Amino acid sequence: MGFSIFYVYHLVFKRLRSTFLEESYLVMSHHLVIFGGKICTAADSMFADIGIKDGQIVSIGRDLDRTGAEVIDATGKLVLPGGIDSHVHLSQPSGEGIVMADDFETGTRSALCGGNTTVMPFCLQERNDNLRGVLNAYHGLAEGQCYTDIAFHLIISNPDAQTLGQDLPALIAEGYTSIKVFMTYEALRLNDSELLAAFDVARQHGATMMVHCENEDAIRYLVDRHEAESRVTPHAHATTRPIAVEREATHRALSLAEVVDLPIVIVHVSNGAAAEEIRRARGRGLKVTAETCPQYLMLTANDLDGMDWEGAKFVCSPPPRDTTEQRACWQGLMDGTFDLFSSDHCPFRYDSPQGKLNPKGAKNFRFIPNGIPGVETRLPILFSEGVNTGRIDINRFVALTATNHAKTYGLYPRKGTIAIGSDADLAIWDPDLERTVHHADLHDGADYTPYEGRTLRGWPVTVLLRGKVMMQDGALVGKRGDGVYLNR
Ligand code: DUC
Ligand code: ZN
Ligand code: ZN
């Protein structure tokens, strides 16, 4: 009798023990362990291992269990959240005869190789487009093509009853919660009453409104004056869009948002006066998120003055300014004025009849498509010129390039940080690797980079998307279609 009680106890204990071990094995095991690296988030830096299972981060700690797991040795490297570039244009219609240089395949491939794991392209409604129809078309273009995860912003250019009264509220409810509007470009811009109406829809339905701030009427006036004086080379792009044009529109957008009582995002801020408008609006209590971009740190209007029309390579809006404004943009990155550092990747080939040198654009700056490539160089530029010069620390770098994007656009904490339960979107950086930028080494569909010949220190070497190694020691190993659409 005594024997059998002990025997039953032994069997039950054995069963429980093996169940416990099996379960703990399942709970504790990792598909992949990254060890030896310094993990940096927007908040902290620490030496720890990261355990990944089923595409998510499941453990962060010392000496994690590597039994049966693949391993990556990150000794001497930084392990950062994959970059999120929340301002990217891909496959966007850009005027008659003009073709954007990147589609979803090449644009996200380039983004990935620059240390990004999520990009947010725009779905552009042209004046006669039905918003839902155009969104479906963009999904069709992106499906199965991406190397990073993506989520769309909507651009509204036709604020009619169908768009504002029907489609937009329904799409916001479906998770398309960020909307861009333009105050410039005759074919796209909204006037003040249209801006107010669009802002009000965003307010009522809880969407985030992004605004391109440049005064179209003032630009038109200056363009006419330039043409009358036969000043039509690429440099005229800068002198027809001076700081006052951006400052006034920034002030107006902020004031209209204040009237509506709507938090807004001011995108691609290029200068100190516009940044000052943002600080003043915040001082009045308005919730403003502000973005700047690499071109406003690295380029000036002088770059638009290149021989043989080469200045066309630097035509983007707002235009690059001067070194004083570059310093003002750095100051804004350092002091918290800017929350987001995005590429505004908007690529056109230079030497192409469908790009910068289209037949009309080769004669008059007015017809040069606006935008420059930069999705692959965004992070190395800020790392090299911001972190490695001591202007910002690594935690601020992560905030500006990943975490704040996820928070602003509803992807946090799934994206944008290193935490238990977050997607294992990681970029392993060699902080001392020095490389000179050559377009031949980049992965986009353009034929130039505005940063050709610049030497940058600090590059991503290995990138993981939801636990899958996509770039390994600088080589692309991921596949087209590994990236998915992120419902928000
Ligand atoms: N605005 C952008 O956001 N990107 C490129 C061109 C433009 O005007
Ligand atoms: Zn814009
Ligand atoms: Zn843009």
Side-chain angles (χ1 to χ4, degrees), residues 87 89 180-182 184-185 211-214 267-268 317-318 344:
H87 191 148
H89 303 264
K180 183 178 176 187
V181 289
F182 283 90
T184 183
Y185 303 127
V211 190
H212 178 133
C213 302
E214 288 184 293
V267 293
H268 48 50
S317 293
D344 196 2

mmCIF file of all heavy atoms in Angstrom, residues 87 89 180-182 184-185 211-214 267-268 317-318 344, ligand 2:
data_model
loop_
_atom_site.group_PDB
_atom_site.id
_atom_site.type_symbol
_atom_site.label_atom_id
_atom_site.label_comp_id
_atom_site.label_asym_id
_atom_site.label_seq_id
_atom_site.Cartn_x
_atom_site.Cartn_y
_atom_site.Cartn_z
ATOM 1 N N HIS A 87 7.742 59.718 -43.521
ATOM 2 C CA HIS A 87 7.488 60.685 -44.597
ATOM 3 C C HIS A 87 8.227 60.232 -45.860
ATOM 4 O O HIS A 87 9.381 60.599 -46.085
ATOM 5 C CB HIS A 87 7.925 62.080 -44.165
ATOM 6 C CG HIS A 87 7.463 63.159 -45.082
ATOM 7 N ND1 HIS A 87 7.153 64.426 -44.651
ATOM 8 C CD2 HIS A 87 7.255 63.174 -46.416
ATOM 9 C CE1 HIS A 87 6.779 65.162 -45.675
ATOM 10 N NE2 HIS A 87 6.848 64.424 -46.771
ATOM 11 N N HIS A 89 7.563 59.172 -50.175
ATOM 12 C CA HIS A 89 6.675 59.155 -51.347
ATOM 13 C C HIS A 89 7.130 58.040 -52.287
ATOM 14 O O HIS A 89 8.294 58.019 -52.709
ATOM 15 C CB HIS A 89 6.727 60.491 -52.081
ATOM 16 C CG HIS A 89 6.373 61.656 -51.205
ATOM 17 N ND1 HIS A 89 5.101 62.211 -51.152
ATOM 18 C CD2 HIS A 89 7.111 62.374 -50.317
ATOM 19 C CE1 HIS A 89 5.090 63.217 -50.288
ATOM 20 N NE2 HIS A 89 6.302 63.334 -49.766
ATOM 21 N N LYS A 180 -2.543 64.165 -44.865
ATOM 22 C CA LYS A 180 -1.738 65.342 -45.201
ATOM 23 C C LYS A 180 -2.534 66.275 -46.101
ATOM 24 O O LYS A 180 -3.259 65.815 -46.992
ATOM 25 C CB LYS A 180 -0.437 64.941 -45.905
ATOM 26 C CG LYS A 180 0.464 66.145 -46.201
ATOM 27 C CD LYS A 180 1.785 65.782 -46.861
ATOM 28 C CE LYS A 180 2.560 67.058 -47.200
ATOM 29 N NZ LYS A 180 3.770 66.837 -47.989
ATOM 30 N N VAL A 181 -2.368 67.575 -45.866
ATOM 31 C CA VAL A 181 -2.937 68.575 -46.769
ATOM 32 C C VAL A 181 -1.839 69.549 -47.190
ATOM 33 O O VAL A 181 -0.876 69.778 -46.452
ATOM 34 C CB VAL A 181 -4.110 69.343 -46.121
ATOM 35 C CG1 VAL A 181 -5.325 68.437 -45.980
ATOM 36 C CG2 VAL A 181 -3.726 69.933 -44.770
ATOM 37 N N PHE A 182 -2.013 70.119 -48.382
ATOM 38 C CA PHE A 182 -1.040 71.051 -48.949
ATOM 39 C C PHE A 182 -1.607 72.465 -48.942
ATOM 40 O O PHE A 182 -2.770 72.674 -49.281
ATOM 41 C CB PHE A 182 -0.749 70.686 -50.413
ATOM 42 C CG PHE A 182 0.176 69.495 -50.581
ATOM 43 C CD1 PHE A 182 -0.334 68.214 -50.658
ATOM 44 C CD2 PHE A 182 1.549 69.674 -50.680
ATOM 45 C CE1 PHE A 182 0.506 67.131 -50.824
ATOM 46 C CE2 PHE A 182 2.396 68.590 -50.846
ATOM 47 C CZ PHE A 182 1.878 67.302 -50.926
ATOM 48 N N THR A 184 0.306 74.583 -50.771
ATOM 49 C CA THR A 184 0.913 74.993 -52.030
ATOM 50 C C THR A 184 0.565 73.970 -53.111
ATOM 51 O O THR A 184 -0.068 72.952 -52.815
ATOM 52 C CB THR A 184 2.441 75.141 -51.887
ATOM 53 O OG1 THR A 184 2.973 75.617 -53.131
ATOM 54 C CG2 THR A 184 3.092 73.812 -51.559
ATOM 55 N N TYR A 185 0.999 74.271 -54.335
ATOM 56 C CA TYR A 185 0.719 73.506 -55.563
ATOM 57 C C TYR A 185 -0.742 73.737 -55.967
ATOM 58 O O TYR A 185 -1.663 73.272 -55.281
ATOM 59 C CB TYR A 185 0.989 71.994 -55.421
ATOM 60 C CG TYR A 185 2.385 71.667 -55.002
ATOM 61 C CD1 TYR A 185 2.623 70.847 -53.893
ATOM 62 C CD2 TYR A 185 3.477 72.173 -55.692
ATOM 63 C CE1 TYR A 185 3.904 70.553 -53.489
ATOM 64 C CE2 TYR A 185 4.773 71.879 -55.284
ATOM 65 C CZ TYR A 185 4.979 71.078 -54.191
ATOM 66 O OH TYR A 185 6.242 70.792 -53.781
ATOM 67 N N VAL A 211 0.519 69.034 -42.234
ATOM 68 C CA VAL A 211 0.333 70.170 -43.130
ATOM 69 C C VAL A 211 1.657 70.560 -43.801
ATOM 70 O O VAL A 211 2.683 70.713 -43.131
ATOM 71 C CB VAL A 211 -0.248 71.395 -42.387
ATOM 72 C CG1 VAL A 211 -0.658 72.471 -43.390
ATOM 73 C CG2 VAL A 211 -1.435 71.000 -41.532
ATOM 74 N N HIS A 212 1.595 70.707 -45.133
ATOM 75 C CA HIS A 212 2.702 71.277 -45.913
ATOM 76 C C HIS A 212 2.463 72.777 -45.977
ATOM 77 O O HIS A 212 1.523 73.241 -46.623
ATOM 78 C CB HIS A 212 2.737 70.665 -47.320
ATOM 79 C CG HIS A 212 3.817 71.251 -48.187
ATOM 80 N ND1 HIS A 212 4.657 70.467 -48.940
ATOM 81 C CD2 HIS A 212 4.184 72.528 -48.441
ATOM 82 C CE1 HIS A 212 5.514 71.237 -49.605
ATOM 83 N NE2 HIS A 212 5.227 72.501 -49.324
ATOM 84 N N CYS A 213 3.344 73.538 -45.324
ATOM 85 C CA CYS A 213 3.129 74.964 -45.148
ATOM 86 C C CYS A 213 3.975 75.804 -46.106
ATOM 87 O O CYS A 213 5.163 76.061 -45.841
ATOM 88 C CB CYS A 213 3.450 75.349 -43.710
ATOM 89 S SG CYS A 213 2.471 74.461 -42.492
ATOM 90 N N GLU A 214 3.398 76.246 -47.205
ATOM 91 C CA GLU A 214 3.987 77.265 -48.077
ATOM 92 C C GLU A 214 2.815 77.995 -48.733
ATOM 93 O O GLU A 214 1.839 77.353 -49.151
ATOM 94 C CB GLU A 214 4.879 76.649 -49.164
ATOM 95 C CG GLU A 214 6.205 76.099 -48.667
ATOM 96 C CD GLU A 214 7.082 75.595 -49.812
ATOM 97 O OE1 GLU A 214 6.699 74.591 -50.449
ATOM 98 O OE2 GLU A 214 8.122 76.217 -50.080
ATOM 99 N N VAL A 267 5.006 69.414 -41.193
ATOM 100 C CA VAL A 267 6.029 68.553 -41.812
ATOM 101 C C VAL A 267 7.137 69.391 -42.447
ATOM 102 O O VAL A 267 6.974 70.583 -42.712
ATOM 103 C CB VAL A 267 5.407 67.598 -42.866
ATOM 104 C CG1 VAL A 267 4.485 66.588 -42.191
ATOM 105 C CG2 VAL A 267 4.682 68.352 -43.964
ATOM 106 N N HIS A 268 8.236 68.743 -42.678
ATOM 107 C CA HIS A 268 9.438 69.275 -43.368
ATOM 108 C C HIS A 268 9.720 70.770 -43.122
ATOM 109 O O HIS A 268 9.778 71.567 -44.057
ATOM 110 C CB HIS A 268 9.448 68.949 -44.859
ATOM 111 C CG HIS A 268 8.181 69.226 -45.637
ATOM 112 N ND1 HIS A 268 7.517 70.406 -45.577
ATOM 113 C CD2 HIS A 268 7.510 68.463 -46.534
ATOM 114 C CE1 HIS A 268 6.473 70.355 -46.388
ATOM 115 N NE2 HIS A 268 6.440 69.190 -46.983
ATOM 116 N N SER A 317 10.778 70.893 -51.947
ATOM 117 C CA SER A 317 10.006 71.947 -51.275
ATOM 118 C C SER A 317 9.643 71.548 -49.859
ATOM 119 O O SER A 317 9.174 70.432 -49.662
ATOM 120 C CB SER A 317 8.714 72.229 -52.040
ATOM 121 O OG SER A 317 9.017 72.800 -53.279
ATOM 122 N N PRO A 318 9.841 72.481 -48.912
ATOM 123 C CA PRO A 318 10.529 73.756 -49.042
ATOM 124 C C PRO A 318 11.976 73.544 -49.486
ATOM 125 O O PRO A 318 12.529 72.485 -49.271
ATOM 126 C CB PRO A 318 10.482 74.358 -47.626
ATOM 127 C CG PRO A 318 9.432 73.577 -46.900
ATOM 128 C CD PRO A 318 9.354 72.236 -47.542
ATOM 129 N N ASP A 344 11.505 62.627 -46.118
ATOM 130 C CA ASP A 344 10.758 63.208 -47.239
ATOM 131 C C ASP A 344 11.329 62.682 -48.568
ATOM 132 O O ASP A 344 11.505 63.449 -49.528
ATOM 133 C CB ASP A 344 10.761 64.732 -47.202
ATOM 134 C CG ASP A 344 9.684 65.317 -48.118
ATOM 135 O OD1 ASP A 344 8.929 64.535 -48.729
ATOM 136 O OD2 ASP A 344 9.614 66.555 -48.223
HETATM 137 ZN ZN ZN B 2 5.121 68.477 -48.494
#
